[in-house]
PDB file of all heavy atoms in Angstrom:
ATOM      1  N   ARG A   9      -3.654   9.961 -24.034  1.00  0.00           N
ATOM      2  CA  ARG A   9      -4.674   9.456 -23.113  1.00  0.00           C
ATOM      3  C   ARG A   9      -6.072   9.589 -23.719  1.00  0.00           C
ATOM      4  O   ARG A   9      -6.946   8.762 -23.478  1.00  0.00           O
ATOM      5  CB  ARG A   9      -4.624  10.212 -21.785  1.00  0.00           C
ATOM      6  CG  ARG A   9      -3.431   9.904 -20.926  1.00  0.00           C
ATOM      7  CD  ARG A   9      -3.435   8.459 -20.424  1.00  0.00           C
ATOM      8  NE  ARG A   9      -4.687   8.063 -19.806  1.00  0.00           N
ATOM      9  CZ  ARG A   9      -5.031   8.329 -18.553  1.00  0.00           C
ATOM     10  NH1 ARG A   9      -4.215   8.993 -17.768  1.00  0.00           N
ATOM     11  NH2 ARG A   9      -6.202   7.907 -18.075  1.00  0.00           N
ATOM     12  N   SER A  31       6.492  -9.752 -23.676  1.00  0.00           N
ATOM     13  CA  SER A  31       5.180  -9.957 -24.285  1.00  0.00           C
ATOM     14  C   SER A  31       4.397  -8.653 -24.208  1.00  0.00           C
ATOM     15  O   SER A  31       4.413  -7.975 -23.176  1.00  0.00           O
ATOM     16  CB  SER A  31       4.399 -11.060 -23.570  1.00  0.00           C
ATOM     17  OG  SER A  31       5.034 -12.307 -23.742  1.00  0.00           O
ATOM     18  N   PHE A  33       0.535  -6.811 -25.372  1.00  0.00           N
ATOM     19  CA  PHE A  33      -0.848  -7.071 -25.767  1.00  0.00           C
ATOM     20  C   PHE A  33      -1.550  -5.751 -26.066  1.00  0.00           C
ATOM     21  O   PHE A  33      -1.351  -4.767 -25.367  1.00  0.00           O
ATOM     22  CB  PHE A  33      -1.617  -7.758 -24.637  1.00  0.00           C
ATOM     23  CG  PHE A  33      -0.944  -8.979 -24.065  1.00  0.00           C
ATOM     24  CD1 PHE A  33       0.043  -8.859 -23.096  1.00  0.00           C
ATOM     25  CD2 PHE A  33      -1.302 -10.244 -24.489  1.00  0.00           C
ATOM     26  CE1 PHE A  33       0.659  -9.985 -22.560  1.00  0.00           C
ATOM     27  CE2 PHE A  33      -0.691 -11.379 -23.958  1.00  0.00           C
ATOM     28  CZ  PHE A  33       0.284 -11.242 -22.996  1.00  0.00           C
ATOM     29  N   TYR A  35      -5.522  -4.441 -26.272  1.00  0.00           N
ATOM     30  CA  TYR A  35      -6.917  -4.779 -26.000  1.00  0.00           C
ATOM     31  C   TYR A  35      -7.792  -3.579 -26.355  1.00  0.00           C
ATOM     32  O   TYR A  35      -7.363  -2.428 -26.304  1.00  0.00           O
ATOM     33  CB  TYR A  35      -7.138  -5.085 -24.511  1.00  0.00           C
ATOM     34  CG  TYR A  35      -6.581  -6.402 -24.038  1.00  0.00           C
ATOM     35  CD1 TYR A  35      -5.276  -6.489 -23.562  1.00  0.00           C
ATOM     36  CD2 TYR A  35      -7.359  -7.549 -24.051  1.00  0.00           C
ATOM     37  CE1 TYR A  35      -4.762  -7.691 -23.112  1.00  0.00           C
ATOM     38  CE2 TYR A  35      -6.849  -8.769 -23.595  1.00  0.00           C
ATOM     39  CZ  TYR A  35      -5.550  -8.826 -23.139  1.00  0.00           C
ATOM     40  OH  TYR A  35      -5.044 -10.026 -22.696  1.00  0.00           O
ATOM     41  N   GLN A  37     -11.681  -2.030 -25.268  1.00  0.00           N
ATOM     42  CA  GLN A  37     -12.768  -2.176 -24.308  1.00  0.00           C
ATOM     43  C   GLN A  37     -13.946  -1.293 -24.699  1.00  0.00           C
ATOM     44  O   GLN A  37     -13.803  -0.084 -24.874  1.00  0.00           O
ATOM     45  CB  GLN A  37     -12.312  -1.808 -22.890  1.00  0.00           C
ATOM     46  CG  GLN A  37     -13.365  -2.068 -21.825  1.00  0.00           C
ATOM     47  CD  GLN A  37     -12.865  -1.776 -20.421  1.00  0.00           C
ATOM     48  OE1 GLN A  37     -12.090  -0.854 -20.194  1.00  0.00           O
ATOM     49  NE2 GLN A  37     -13.292  -2.591 -19.459  1.00  0.00           N
ATOM     50  N   LEU A  43     -13.906  -6.554 -22.981  1.00  0.00           N
ATOM     51  CA  LEU A  43     -12.468  -6.438 -23.224  1.00  0.00           C
ATOM     52  C   LEU A  43     -12.068  -7.472 -24.273  1.00  0.00           C
ATOM     53  O   LEU A  43     -12.174  -8.673 -24.044  1.00  0.00           O
ATOM     54  CB  LEU A  43     -11.733  -6.687 -21.911  1.00  0.00           C
ATOM     55  CG  LEU A  43     -10.294  -6.251 -21.791  1.00  0.00           C
ATOM     56  CD1 LEU A  43     -10.171  -4.753 -21.955  1.00  0.00           C
ATOM     57  CD2 LEU A  43      -9.741  -6.679 -20.445  1.00  0.00           C
ATOM     58  N   LEU A  45      -9.108  -8.969 -26.906  1.00  0.00           N
ATOM     59  CA  LEU A  45      -7.702  -9.001 -27.287  1.00  0.00           C
ATOM     60  C   LEU A  45      -7.607  -8.792 -28.797  1.00  0.00           C
ATOM     61  O   LEU A  45      -8.186  -9.555 -29.577  1.00  0.00           O
ATOM     62  CB  LEU A  45      -7.078 -10.340 -26.904  1.00  0.00           C
ATOM     63  CG  LEU A  45      -5.627 -10.542 -27.322  1.00  0.00           C
ATOM     64  CD1 LEU A  45      -4.702  -9.548 -26.627  1.00  0.00           C
ATOM     65  CD2 LEU A  45      -5.174 -11.968 -27.037  1.00  0.00           C
ATOM     66  N   TYR A  48      -1.267  -9.878 -29.946  1.00  0.00           N
ATOM     67  CA  TYR A  48      -0.188  -9.861 -28.988  1.00  0.00           C
ATOM     68  C   TYR A  48       1.123 -10.287 -29.639  1.00  0.00           C
ATOM     69  O   TYR A  48       1.141 -11.020 -30.628  1.00  0.00           O
ATOM     70  CB  TYR A  48      -0.507 -10.648 -27.721  1.00  0.00           C
ATOM     71  CG  TYR A  48      -0.353 -12.142 -27.751  1.00  0.00           C
ATOM     72  CD1 TYR A  48       0.789 -12.760 -27.239  1.00  0.00           C
ATOM     73  CD2 TYR A  48      -1.373 -12.945 -28.217  1.00  0.00           C
ATOM     74  CE1 TYR A  48       0.915 -14.140 -27.222  1.00  0.00           C
ATOM     75  CE2 TYR A  48      -1.261 -14.321 -28.200  1.00  0.00           C
ATOM     76  CZ  TYR A  48      -0.122 -14.911 -27.695  1.00  0.00           C
ATOM     77  OH  TYR A  48       0.002 -16.281 -27.673  1.00  0.00           O
ATOM     78  N   ASN A  50       5.234 -11.607 -28.899  1.00  0.00           N
ATOM     79  CA  ASN A  50       6.293 -12.153 -28.054  1.00  0.00           C
ATOM     80  C   ASN A  50       7.621 -11.815 -28.704  1.00  0.00           C
ATOM     81  O   ASN A  50       7.823 -12.105 -29.889  1.00  0.00           O
ATOM     82  CB  ASN A  50       6.170 -13.678 -27.904  1.00  0.00           C
ATOM     83  CG  ASN A  50       5.138 -14.079 -26.873  1.00  0.00           C
ATOM     84  OD1 ASN A  50       4.626 -13.249 -26.122  1.00  0.00           O
ATOM     85  ND2 ASN A  50       4.815 -15.357 -26.833  1.00  0.00           N
ATOM     86  N   ASP A  56      -0.439 -13.671 -32.417  1.00  0.00           N
ATOM     87  CA  ASP A  56      -1.855 -13.923 -32.672  1.00  0.00           C
ATOM     88  C   ASP A  56      -2.535 -12.601 -32.954  1.00  0.00           C
ATOM     89  O   ASP A  56      -2.645 -11.765 -32.063  1.00  0.00           O
ATOM     90  CB  ASP A  56      -2.499 -14.612 -31.462  1.00  0.00           C
ATOM     91  CG  ASP A  56      -3.949 -14.997 -31.694  1.00  0.00           C
ATOM     92  OD1 ASP A  56      -4.553 -14.553 -32.701  1.00  0.00           O
ATOM     93  OD2 ASP A  56      -4.493 -15.748 -30.871  1.00  0.00           O
ATOM     94  N   PHE A  91      -6.315  -0.466 -24.604  1.00  0.00           N
ATOM     95  CA  PHE A  91      -5.315  -0.724 -23.580  1.00  0.00           C
ATOM     96  C   PHE A  91      -4.136  -1.491 -24.172  1.00  0.00           C
ATOM     97  O   PHE A  91      -4.307  -2.399 -24.984  1.00  0.00           O
ATOM     98  CB  PHE A  91      -5.898  -1.559 -22.440  1.00  0.00           C
ATOM     99  CG  PHE A  91      -6.849  -0.821 -21.554  1.00  0.00           C
ATOM    100  CD1 PHE A  91      -8.217  -1.002 -21.667  1.00  0.00           C
ATOM    101  CD2 PHE A  91      -6.361   0.064 -20.598  1.00  0.00           C
ATOM    102  CE1 PHE A  91      -9.095  -0.320 -20.843  1.00  0.00           C
ATOM    103  CE2 PHE A  91      -7.242   0.751 -19.762  1.00  0.00           C
ATOM    104  CZ  PHE A  91      -8.610   0.561 -19.889  1.00  0.00           C
ATOM    105  N   SER A  95       3.967  -8.150 -20.254  1.00  0.00           N
ATOM    106  CA  SER A  95       4.279  -9.145 -19.232  1.00  0.00           C
ATOM    107  C   SER A  95       5.582  -9.838 -19.589  1.00  0.00           C
ATOM    108  O   SER A  95       6.057  -9.765 -20.727  1.00  0.00           O
ATOM    109  CB  SER A  95       3.156 -10.184 -19.115  1.00  0.00           C
ATOM    110  OG  SER A  95       3.153 -11.060 -20.224  1.00  0.00           O
ATOM    111  N   GLU A  96       6.150 -10.518 -18.599  1.00  0.00           N
ATOM    112  CA  GLU A  96       7.223 -11.448 -18.888  1.00  0.00           C
ATOM    113  C   GLU A  96       6.597 -12.652 -19.563  1.00  0.00           C
ATOM    114  O   GLU A  96       5.404 -12.931 -19.384  1.00  0.00           O
ATOM    115  CB  GLU A  96       7.918 -11.858 -17.588  1.00  0.00           C
ATOM    116  CG  GLU A  96       8.555 -10.691 -16.859  1.00  0.00           C
ATOM    117  CD  GLU A  96       9.149 -11.100 -15.520  1.00  0.00           C
ATOM    118  OE1 GLU A  96       8.935 -12.247 -15.106  1.00  0.00           O
ATOM    119  OE2 GLU A  96       9.811 -10.263 -14.896  1.00  0.00           O
ATOM    120  N   GLY A  98       5.431 -16.326 -20.266  1.00  0.00           N
ATOM    121  CA  GLY A  98       5.081 -17.413 -19.349  1.00  0.00           C
ATOM    122  C   GLY A  98       3.626 -17.306 -18.964  1.00  0.00           C
ATOM    123  O   GLY A  98       3.114 -16.229 -18.696  1.00  0.00           O
ATOM    124  N   GLY A  99       2.933 -18.444 -18.961  1.00  0.00           N
ATOM    125  CA  GLY A  99       1.489 -18.447 -18.759  1.00  0.00           C
ATOM    126  C   GLY A  99       1.043 -18.020 -17.381  1.00  0.00           C
ATOM    127  O   GLY A  99      -0.099 -17.620 -17.206  1.00  0.00           O
ATOM    128  N   ASP A 100       1.912 -18.072 -16.393  1.00  0.00           N
ATOM    129  CA  ASP A 100       1.466 -17.753 -15.038  1.00  0.00           C
ATOM    130  C   ASP A 100       1.900 -16.361 -14.605  1.00  0.00           C
ATOM    131  O   ASP A 100       1.820 -16.026 -13.425  1.00  0.00           O
ATOM    132  CB  ASP A 100       1.993 -18.801 -14.062  1.00  0.00           C
ATOM    133  CG  ASP A 100       3.506 -18.845 -14.031  1.00  0.00           C
ATOM    134  OD1 ASP A 100       4.142 -18.243 -14.929  1.00  0.00           O
ATOM    135  OD2 ASP A 100       4.067 -19.477 -13.115  1.00  0.00           O
ATOM    136  N   THR A 101       2.372 -15.560 -15.543  1.00  0.00           N
ATOM    137  CA  THR A 101       2.888 -14.244 -15.154  1.00  0.00           C
ATOM    138  C   THR A 101       1.817 -13.177 -15.299  1.00  0.00           C
ATOM    139  O   THR A 101       0.928 -13.255 -16.139  1.00  0.00           O
ATOM    140  CB  THR A 101       4.105 -13.860 -16.005  1.00  0.00           C
ATOM    141  OG1 THR A 101       3.740 -13.881 -17.380  1.00  0.00           O
ATOM    142  CG2 THR A 101       5.244 -14.830 -15.775  1.00  0.00           C
ATOM    143  N   GLU A 102       1.947 -12.143 -14.472  1.00  0.00           N
ATOM    144  CA  GLU A 102       0.989 -11.048 -14.431  1.00  0.00           C
ATOM    145  C   GLU A 102       1.167 -10.130 -15.619  1.00  0.00           C
ATOM    146  O   GLU A 102       2.288  -9.818 -16.018  1.00  0.00           O
ATOM    147  CB  GLU A 102       1.201 -10.274 -13.138  1.00  0.00           C
ATOM    148  CG  GLU A 102       0.386  -9.009 -12.995  1.00  0.00           C
ATOM    149  CD  GLU A 102       0.748  -8.244 -11.738  1.00  0.00           C
ATOM    150  OE1 GLU A 102       1.607  -8.739 -10.981  1.00  0.00           O
ATOM    151  OE2 GLU A 102       0.192  -7.158 -11.538  1.00  0.00           O
ATOM    152  N   ALA A 103       0.062  -9.662 -16.183  1.00  0.00           N
ATOM    153  CA  ALA A 103       0.100  -8.627 -17.208  1.00  0.00           C
ATOM    154  C   ALA A 103      -0.126  -7.281 -16.547  1.00  0.00           C
ATOM    155  O   ALA A 103      -1.000  -7.121 -15.702  1.00  0.00           O
ATOM    156  CB  ALA A 103      -0.975  -8.880 -18.266  1.00  0.00           C
ATOM    157  N   PHE A 105      -1.088  -3.353 -17.113  1.00  0.00           N
ATOM    158  CA  PHE A 105      -1.826  -2.556 -18.075  1.00  0.00           C
ATOM    159  C   PHE A 105      -1.451  -1.085 -17.991  1.00  0.00           C
ATOM    160  O   PHE A 105      -1.185  -0.551 -16.902  1.00  0.00           O
ATOM    161  CB  PHE A 105      -3.333  -2.680 -17.813  1.00  0.00           C
ATOM    162  CG  PHE A 105      -3.935  -3.944 -18.346  1.00  0.00           C
ATOM    163  CD1 PHE A 105      -3.715  -5.152 -17.720  1.00  0.00           C
ATOM    164  CD2 PHE A 105      -4.716  -3.922 -19.494  1.00  0.00           C
ATOM    165  CE1 PHE A 105      -4.264  -6.331 -18.211  1.00  0.00           C
ATOM    166  CE2 PHE A 105      -5.275  -5.084 -19.988  1.00  0.00           C
ATOM    167  CZ  PHE A 105      -5.053  -6.284 -19.352  1.00  0.00           C
ATOM    168  N   GLY A 106      -1.462  -0.430 -19.146  1.00  0.00           N
ATOM    169  CA  GLY A 106      -1.400   1.017 -19.175  1.00  0.00           C
ATOM    170  C   GLY A 106      -2.752   1.610 -18.804  1.00  0.00           C
ATOM    171  O   GLY A 106      -3.727   0.890 -18.557  1.00  0.00           O
TER     172      GLY A 106
ATOM    173  N   SER B  32      -3.488 -21.037 -16.074  1.00  0.00           N
ATOM    174  CA  SER B  32      -3.402 -20.208 -14.876  1.00  0.00           C
ATOM    175  C   SER B  32      -4.638 -19.315 -14.844  1.00  0.00           C
ATOM    176  O   SER B  32      -5.154 -18.914 -15.883  1.00  0.00           O
ATOM    177  CB  SER B  32      -2.133 -19.356 -14.898  1.00  0.00           C
ATOM    178  OG  SER B  32      -0.985 -20.175 -14.817  1.00  0.00           O
ATOM    179  N   PHE B  34      -6.756 -15.898 -13.069  1.00  0.00           N
ATOM    180  CA  PHE B  34      -6.502 -14.579 -12.510  1.00  0.00           C
ATOM    181  C   PHE B  34      -7.821 -13.855 -12.231  1.00  0.00           C
ATOM    182  O   PHE B  34      -8.829 -14.078 -12.908  1.00  0.00           O
ATOM    183  CB  PHE B  34      -5.715 -13.705 -13.510  1.00  0.00           C
ATOM    184  CG  PHE B  34      -4.430 -14.301 -14.011  1.00  0.00           C
ATOM    185  CD1 PHE B  34      -4.429 -15.214 -15.059  1.00  0.00           C
ATOM    186  CD2 PHE B  34      -3.218 -13.929 -13.458  1.00  0.00           C
ATOM    187  CE1 PHE B  34      -3.241 -15.766 -15.542  1.00  0.00           C
ATOM    188  CE2 PHE B  34      -2.033 -14.462 -13.935  1.00  0.00           C
ATOM    189  CZ  PHE B  34      -2.044 -15.376 -14.966  1.00  0.00           C
ATOM    190  N   TYR B  36      -8.626  -9.724 -12.105  1.00  0.00           N
ATOM    191  CA  TYR B  36      -8.145  -8.365 -12.259  1.00  0.00           C
ATOM    192  C   TYR B  36      -9.248  -7.416 -11.804  1.00  0.00           C
ATOM    193  O   TYR B  36     -10.442  -7.727 -11.904  1.00  0.00           O
ATOM    194  CB  TYR B  36      -7.793  -8.058 -13.719  1.00  0.00           C
ATOM    195  CG  TYR B  36      -6.459  -8.600 -14.162  1.00  0.00           C
ATOM    196  CD1 TYR B  36      -6.308  -9.948 -14.501  1.00  0.00           C
ATOM    197  CD2 TYR B  36      -5.346  -7.772 -14.258  1.00  0.00           C
ATOM    198  CE1 TYR B  36      -5.081 -10.448 -14.911  1.00  0.00           C
ATOM    199  CE2 TYR B  36      -4.118  -8.262 -14.670  1.00  0.00           C
ATOM    200  CZ  TYR B  36      -3.993  -9.595 -14.993  1.00  0.00           C
ATOM    201  OH  TYR B  36      -2.780 -10.083 -15.397  1.00  0.00           O
ATOM    202  N   GLN B  38     -10.599  -3.246 -12.099  1.00  0.00           N
ATOM    203  CA  GLN B  38     -10.466  -1.967 -12.824  1.00  0.00           C
ATOM    204  C   GLN B  38     -11.256  -0.908 -12.093  1.00  0.00           C
ATOM    205  O   GLN B  38     -12.482  -0.976 -11.994  1.00  0.00           O
ATOM    206  CB  GLN B  38     -10.986  -2.109 -14.258  1.00  0.00           C
ATOM    207  CG  GLN B  38     -10.812  -0.856 -15.097  1.00  0.00           C
ATOM    208  CD  GLN B  38     -11.336  -1.011 -16.513  1.00  0.00           C
ATOM    209  OE1 GLN B  38     -12.273  -1.761 -16.765  1.00  0.00           O
ATOM    210  NE2 GLN B  38     -10.726  -0.309 -17.451  1.00  0.00           N
ATOM    211  N   GLY B  41     -11.681   4.939 -14.694  1.00  0.00           N
ATOM    212  CA  GLY B  41     -10.679   5.743 -15.392  1.00  0.00           C
ATOM    213  C   GLY B  41      -9.289   5.149 -15.408  1.00  0.00           C
ATOM    214  O   GLY B  41      -8.339   5.827 -15.837  1.00  0.00           O
ATOM    215  N   GLU B  42      -9.155   3.914 -14.964  1.00  0.00           N
ATOM    216  CA  GLU B  42      -7.824   3.307 -14.894  1.00  0.00           C
ATOM    217  C   GLU B  42      -7.757   2.020 -15.709  1.00  0.00           C
ATOM    218  O   GLU B  42      -8.776   1.484 -16.153  1.00  0.00           O
ATOM    219  CB  GLU B  42      -7.463   3.003 -13.439  1.00  0.00           C
ATOM    220  CG  GLU B  42      -7.389   4.248 -12.569  1.00  0.00           C
ATOM    221  CD  GLU B  42      -6.931   3.913 -11.159  1.00  0.00           C
ATOM    222  OE1 GLU B  42      -6.516   2.770 -10.902  1.00  0.00           O
ATOM    223  OE2 GLU B  42      -7.008   4.828 -10.312  1.00  0.00           O
ATOM    224  N   GLY B  43      -6.551   1.531 -15.884  1.00  0.00           N
ATOM    225  CA  GLY B  43      -6.368   0.227 -16.507  1.00  0.00           C
ATOM    226  C   GLY B  43      -6.604  -0.884 -15.503  1.00  0.00           C
ATOM    227  O   GLY B  43      -6.859  -0.645 -14.333  1.00  0.00           O
ATOM    228  N   LEU B  44      -6.539  -2.121 -15.999  1.00  0.00           N
ATOM    229  CA  LEU B  44      -6.741  -3.262 -15.116  1.00  0.00           C
ATOM    230  C   LEU B  44      -5.481  -3.500 -14.286  1.00  0.00           C
ATOM    231  O   LEU B  44      -4.363  -3.268 -14.751  1.00  0.00           O
ATOM    232  CB  LEU B  44      -7.034  -4.518 -15.943  1.00  0.00           C
ATOM    233  CG  LEU B  44      -8.442  -4.684 -16.487  1.00  0.00           C
ATOM    234  CD1 LEU B  44      -8.738  -3.684 -17.599  1.00  0.00           C
ATOM    235  CD2 LEU B  44      -8.659  -6.113 -16.984  1.00  0.00           C
ATOM    236  N   LEU B  46      -3.794  -6.518 -11.455  1.00  0.00           N
ATOM    237  CA  LEU B  46      -3.959  -7.861 -10.913  1.00  0.00           C
ATOM    238  C   LEU B  46      -4.426  -7.800  -9.467  1.00  0.00           C
ATOM    239  O   LEU B  46      -3.870  -7.071  -8.644  1.00  0.00           O
ATOM    240  CB  LEU B  46      -2.637  -8.633 -10.992  1.00  0.00           C
ATOM    241  CG  LEU B  46      -2.683 -10.062 -10.467  1.00  0.00           C
ATOM    242  CD1 LEU B  46      -3.531 -10.929 -11.375  1.00  0.00           C
ATOM    243  CD2 LEU B  46      -1.274 -10.634 -10.358  1.00  0.00           C
ATOM    244  N   LYS B  49      -4.081 -14.419  -8.169  1.00  0.00           N
ATOM    245  CA  LYS B  49      -3.947 -15.448  -9.194  1.00  0.00           C
ATOM    246  C   LYS B  49      -3.738 -16.817  -8.553  1.00  0.00           C
ATOM    247  O   LYS B  49      -3.382 -16.917  -7.367  1.00  0.00           O
ATOM    248  CB  LYS B  49      -2.787 -15.136 -10.136  1.00  0.00           C
ATOM    249  CG  LYS B  49      -1.414 -15.313  -9.515  1.00  0.00           C
ATOM    250  CD  LYS B  49      -0.310 -15.049 -10.550  1.00  0.00           C
ATOM    251  CE  LYS B  49       1.066 -15.334  -9.973  1.00  0.00           C
ATOM    252  NZ  LYS B  49       2.157 -15.045 -10.960  1.00  0.00           N
ATOM    253  N   THR B  51      -2.163 -20.769  -9.999  1.00  0.00           N
ATOM    254  CA  THR B  51      -1.537 -21.376 -11.163  1.00  0.00           C
ATOM    255  C   THR B  51      -1.750 -22.878 -11.267  1.00  0.00           C
ATOM    256  O   THR B  51      -1.415 -23.475 -12.294  1.00  0.00           O
ATOM    257  CB  THR B  51      -0.032 -21.083 -11.173  1.00  0.00           C
ATOM    258  OG1 THR B  51       0.536 -21.593  -9.963  1.00  0.00           O
ATOM    259  CG2 THR B  51       0.225 -19.604 -11.276  1.00  0.00           C
ATOM    260  N   PHE B  89     -12.675  -8.592 -13.308  1.00  0.00           N
ATOM    261  CA  PHE B  89     -12.536  -9.452 -14.478  1.00  0.00           C
ATOM    262  C   PHE B  89     -11.852 -10.760 -14.077  1.00  0.00           C
ATOM    263  O   PHE B  89     -10.773 -10.746 -13.467  1.00  0.00           O
ATOM    264  CB  PHE B  89     -11.660  -8.786 -15.551  1.00  0.00           C
ATOM    265  CG  PHE B  89     -12.273  -7.588 -16.201  1.00  0.00           C
ATOM    266  CD1 PHE B  89     -12.097  -6.329 -15.653  1.00  0.00           C
ATOM    267  CD2 PHE B  89     -13.002  -7.712 -17.372  1.00  0.00           C
ATOM    268  CE1 PHE B  89     -12.645  -5.208 -16.261  1.00  0.00           C
ATOM    269  CE2 PHE B  89     -13.560  -6.602 -17.986  1.00  0.00           C
ATOM    270  CZ  PHE B  89     -13.377  -5.345 -17.425  1.00  0.00           C
ATOM    271  N   SER B  93      -4.920 -17.811 -18.545  1.00  0.00           N
ATOM    272  CA  SER B  93      -3.791 -17.843 -19.452  1.00  0.00           C
ATOM    273  C   SER B  93      -3.504 -19.296 -19.751  1.00  0.00           C
ATOM    274  O   SER B  93      -3.322 -20.101 -18.837  1.00  0.00           O
ATOM    275  CB  SER B  93      -2.579 -17.167 -18.816  1.00  0.00           C
ATOM    276  OG  SER B  93      -1.482 -17.212 -19.681  1.00  0.00           O
ATOM    277  N   ALA B  94      -3.484 -19.625 -21.024  1.00  0.00           N
ATOM    278  CA  ALA B  94      -3.349 -21.020 -21.430  1.00  0.00           C
ATOM    279  C   ALA B  94      -2.046 -21.617 -20.913  1.00  0.00           C
ATOM    280  O   ALA B  94      -1.080 -20.917 -20.643  1.00  0.00           O
ATOM    281  CB  ALA B  94      -3.419 -21.124 -22.945  1.00  0.00           C
ATOM    282  N   GLY B  97       2.031 -20.800 -23.761  1.00  0.00           N
ATOM    283  CA  GLY B  97       1.891 -19.423 -24.222  1.00  0.00           C
ATOM    284  C   GLY B  97       1.277 -18.575 -23.128  1.00  0.00           C
ATOM    285  O   GLY B  97       0.912 -19.063 -22.071  1.00  0.00           O
ATOM    286  N   ASN B  98       1.146 -17.300 -23.341  1.00  0.00           N
ATOM    287  CA  ASN B  98       0.645 -16.418 -22.295  1.00  0.00           C
ATOM    288  C   ASN B  98      -0.444 -15.490 -22.790  1.00  0.00           C
ATOM    289  O   ASN B  98      -0.555 -14.359 -22.349  1.00  0.00           O
ATOM    290  CB  ASN B  98       1.796 -15.631 -21.674  1.00  0.00           C
ATOM    291  CG  ASN B  98       2.537 -14.808 -22.702  1.00  0.00           C
ATOM    292  OD1 ASN B  98       2.462 -15.079 -23.881  1.00  0.00           O
ATOM    293  ND2 ASN B  98       3.244 -13.794 -22.250  1.00  0.00           N
ATOM    294  N   LYS B  99      -1.274 -15.976 -23.681  1.00  0.00           N
ATOM    295  CA  LYS B  99      -2.404 -15.182 -24.165  1.00  0.00           C
ATOM    296  C   LYS B  99      -3.455 -15.132 -23.061  1.00  0.00           C
ATOM    297  O   LYS B  99      -3.986 -16.157 -22.645  1.00  0.00           O
ATOM    298  CB  LYS B  99      -2.973 -15.834 -25.413  1.00  0.00           C
ATOM    299  CG  LYS B  99      -4.233 -15.204 -25.952  1.00  0.00           C
ATOM    300  CD  LYS B  99      -4.678 -15.943 -27.209  1.00  0.00           C
ATOM    301  CE  LYS B  99      -5.999 -15.448 -27.719  1.00  0.00           C
ATOM    302  NZ  LYS B  99      -6.398 -16.158 -28.964  1.00  0.00           N
ATOM    303  N   LEU B 100      -3.784 -13.938 -22.577  1.00  0.00           N
ATOM    304  CA  LEU B 100      -4.766 -13.751 -21.522  1.00  0.00           C
ATOM    305  C   LEU B 100      -6.151 -13.627 -22.133  1.00  0.00           C
ATOM    306  O   LEU B 100      -6.379 -12.753 -22.971  1.00  0.00           O
ATOM    307  CB  LEU B 100      -4.458 -12.487 -20.735  1.00  0.00           C
ATOM    308  CG  LEU B 100      -3.710 -12.585 -19.426  1.00  0.00           C
ATOM    309  CD1 LEU B 100      -3.531 -11.208 -18.824  1.00  0.00           C
ATOM    310  CD2 LEU B 100      -4.413 -13.502 -18.441  1.00  0.00           C
ATOM    311  N   VAL B 101      -7.078 -14.452 -21.672  1.00  0.00           N
ATOM    312  CA  VAL B 101      -8.464 -14.390 -22.119  1.00  0.00           C
ATOM    313  C   VAL B 101      -9.315 -13.916 -20.948  1.00  0.00           C
ATOM    314  O   VAL B 101      -9.264 -14.508 -19.861  1.00  0.00           O
ATOM    315  CB  VAL B 101      -8.948 -15.772 -22.608  1.00  0.00           C
ATOM    316  CG1 VAL B 101     -10.414 -15.724 -22.984  1.00  0.00           C
ATOM    317  CG2 VAL B 101      -8.095 -16.235 -23.788  1.00  0.00           C
ATOM    318  N   PHE B 102     -10.103 -12.869 -21.162  1.00  0.00           N
ATOM    319  CA  PHE B 102     -10.881 -12.254 -20.092  1.00  0.00           C
ATOM    320  C   PHE B 102     -12.365 -12.598 -20.198  1.00  0.00           C
ATOM    321  O   PHE B 102     -12.904 -12.767 -21.298  1.00  0.00           O
ATOM    322  CB  PHE B 102     -10.741 -10.730 -20.138  1.00  0.00           C
ATOM    323  CG  PHE B 102      -9.430 -10.222 -19.625  1.00  0.00           C
ATOM    324  CD1 PHE B 102      -8.346 -10.090 -20.471  1.00  0.00           C
ATOM    325  CD2 PHE B 102      -9.276  -9.888 -18.288  1.00  0.00           C
ATOM    326  CE1 PHE B 102      -7.126  -9.633 -20.004  1.00  0.00           C
ATOM    327  CE2 PHE B 102      -8.061  -9.425 -17.806  1.00  0.00           C
ATOM    328  CZ  PHE B 102      -6.985  -9.294 -18.662  1.00  0.00           C
ATOM    329  N   ALA B 104     -16.325 -11.138 -19.266  1.00  0.00           N
ATOM    330  CA  ALA B 104     -16.980  -9.883 -19.653  1.00  0.00           C
ATOM    331  C   ALA B 104     -16.865  -8.803 -18.583  1.00  0.00           C
ATOM    332  O   ALA B 104     -17.140  -7.639 -18.852  1.00  0.00           O
ATOM    333  CB  ALA B 104     -18.444 -10.136 -19.966  1.00  0.00           C
TER     334      ALA B 104
END
Side-chain angles (χ1 to χ4, degrees):
Chain A
R9 289 294 309 278
S31 294
F33 309 83
Y35 287 89
Q37 186 177 35
L43 197 62
L45 176 64
Y48 81 99
N50 280 350
D56 184 348
F91 288 103
S95 73
E96 298 176 352
D100 61 347
T101 57
E102 174 185 358
F105 281 74
Chain B
S32 294
F34 305 82
Y36 281 79
Q38 183 180 30
E42 298 184 9
L44 281 70
L46 181 68
K49 72 177 185 182
T51 58
F89 292 89
S93 179
N98 58 340
K99 174 179 174 179
L100 262 180
V101 176
F102 285 88

